[in-house]
Amino acid sequence: MKKILILFLYLFCCYADDDYECKNNDLNACYKVIKSSPSPIDFCQNVEEFNYKKTCAEYFYDITRVAHQYQAKELRDKLYMDFPKVCIDFIYAQRHLSNTIIEESLSMACEIDYIKACDLLVEQKMVDNVKYVEKSCNAGNYNACVELEYIKLKNNNLALAETECLQNNNCEKAFNEGTKNQEILLKLCENKNEKACLRYAELNASKNNGKYDEYSLKACEINVNVCMQKAKSLEQFLQFDFEGNIKTLKRYYEIACEKGLDIACEEFKRVEALNPDDYKFDGKVKTIRIKF
């Protein structure tokens, strides 16, 4: 008992010393306190003292790389106005992010004039927003200036194509021009264009309205290759939410099986037998490789 008390007092004194040094601008001491907490990401989510928040932002990648995407997103949203670099670290720390979520994260930082995020949007060709490309151009990015002129021309062509679609129901040109008009994408999806279904699903990926799964499944019903691709991707997430993902995973294989793909029938039987205990998240990222 005496040894336990001595150990407790030692740890308490170390924590107090580090906390004191942290508040005197020693970020290494701040990080020691954060790392010694039961859950560093929860500590960062709840702390308000500036030096701790700054440290959470500085070490965002290390703190969130094994965390659930939703936890990392919540911490990003708390910190990014003061420390916009976390929007980029969030992308590097998390695996399997949709293009929509990546674009959202970079746009958040670009919106508050973190130019590196604007440059990445241009570099990855993820944005048609003239304002963001213009910010990158004005900061001296030559490629952004070239892209800016292209976007202005493209936006004019897109506007004409969208008008033609909505007035005359001729929508393929609007799709090829990269439309994000959800009414147009829905029209095309209903006309059995699986790529339009997938694009509509991506636009709804971060909204938690159920449409991502609904329209991914519609694309799967049109093209069984989509079923297999989506199933392989989704299986990577069973460790985070087995009950929430297994039903959709089975449905992908079930649809492909019903459409005559024998290997999908075999995969459906395999996932039917999966044990949720094997997919409990233990803080480590498991990678499951499936060969077809």
Side-chain angles (χ1 to χ4, degrees):
M1 183 68 182
K2 185 177 179 181
K3 289 181 178 179
I4 294 173
L5 180 60
I6 292 171
L7 178 61
F8 173 79
L9 290 172
Y10 172 77
L11 292 172
F12 177 80
C13 290
C14 289
Y15 177 92
D17 286 345
D18 287 333
D19 183 60
Y20 175 80
E21 294 298 329
C22 173
K23 290 173 181 176
N24 282 280
N25 299 318
D26 183 345
L27 297 191
N28 287 328
C30 299
Y31 191 52
K32 287 181 183 177
V33 174
I34 294 168
K35 289 292 286 182
S36 66
S37 68
S39 171
I41 195 166
D42 287 339
F43 182 100
C44 288
Q45 185 61 44
N46 293 299
V47 75
E48 293 300 332
E49 203 279 327
F50 182 80
N51 281 351
Y52 280 118
K53 288 173 69 176
K54 183 176 181 180
T55 306
C56 291
E58 186 70 23
Y59 292 92
F60 186 92
Y61 177 88
D62 292 331
I63 291 168
T64 63
R65 65 189 177 89
V66 295
H68 193 286
Q69 183 184 127
Y70 297 120
Q71 286 182 299
K73 187 173 182 291
E74 284 181 356
L75 185 57
R76 177 203 68 182
D77 292 349
K78 174 181 178 174
L79 297 172
Y80 88 95
M81 288 297 292
D82 293 318
F83 311 101
K85 182 177 175 289
V86 300
C87 293
I88 295 176
D89 290 340
F90 167 75
I91 294 168
Y92 292 143
Q94 295 294 304
R95 296 185 177 190
H96 308 297
L97 292 176
S98 70
N99 286 341
T100 301
I101 294 176
I102 293 172
E103 182 178 340
E104 173 198 70
S105 198
L106 293 174
S107 297
M108 288 165 61
C110 182
E111 187 70 35
I112 55 175
D113 298 329
Y114 188 62
I115 299 301
K116 185 175 180 180
C118 306
D119 290 343
L120 283 171
L121 283 167
V122 174
E123 179 184 319
Q124 299 300 318
K125 298 188 182 300
M126 298 189 94
V127 65
D128 289 332
N129 189 314
V130 175
K131 178 174 67 173
Y132 297 160
V133 181
E134 200 164 29
K135 284 185 178 186
S136 183
C137 173
N138 290 341
N141 185 333
Y142 172 78
N143 290 333
C145 297
V146 173
E147 184 71 12
L148 183 61
E149 294 305 312
Y150 170 74
I151 287 174
K152 288 178 179 177
L153 177 62
K154 182 181 176 184
N155 283 351
N156 183 54
N157 293 339
L158 176 58
L160 292 173
E162 287 179 337
T163 300
E164 183 180 348
C165 169
L166 296 172
Q167 290 181 353
N168 303 321
N169 210 34
N170 181 11
C171 297
E172 289 296 332
K173 186 175 179 181
F175 182 78
N176 292 334
E177 290 287 345
T179 185
K180 292 184 179 179
N181 183 305
Q182 297 200 21
E183 182 182 350
I184 291 173
L185 294 175
L186 283 173
K187 279 187 174 187
L188 288 164
C189 181
E190 294 303 321
N191 286 328
K192 308 300 183 185
N193 182 322
E194 79 271 14
K195 292 180 180 178
C197 300
L198 290 172
R199 188 177 295 178
Y200 182 82
E202 284 288 320
L203 291 175
N204 285 276
S206 61
K207 297 179 182 178
N208 298 319
N209 56 13
K211 291 184 177 179
Y212 178 80
D213 285 340
E214 179 184 352
Y215 282 87
S216 294
L217 285 166
K218 282 184 181 291
C220 162
E221 290 171 354
I222 298 167
N223 184 339
V224 292
N225 291 325
V226 172
C227 303
M228 304 306 284
Q229 291 163 6
K230 286 289 183 180
K232 285 191 287 183
S233 177
L234 187 58
E235 191 158 354
Q236 308 293 326
F237 291 91
L238 290 181
Q239 68 193 81
F240 297 110
D241 182 9
F242 185 89
E243 296 301 329
N245 289 323
I246 192 68
K247 183 178 178 181
T248 306
L249 175 61
K250 288 178 183 178
R251 187 63 186 137
Y252 283 130
Y253 286 132
E254 186 177 33
I255 291 170
C257 177
E258 289 170 352
K259 290 184 176 292
L261 193 61
D262 291 341
I263 196 166
C265 303
E266 295 172 12
E267 290 301 314
F268 180 78
K269 291 176 184 176
R270 179 181 65 81
V271 298
E272 277 273 74
L274 291 180
N275 185 346
D277 290 336
D278 294 335
Y279 288 86
K280 287 183 178 177
F281 182 55
D282 60 4
K284 297 178 181 178
V285 175
K286 303 183 180 77
T287 301
I288 303 161
R289 290 182 172 86
I290 308 165
K291 293 182 179 179
F292 292 108

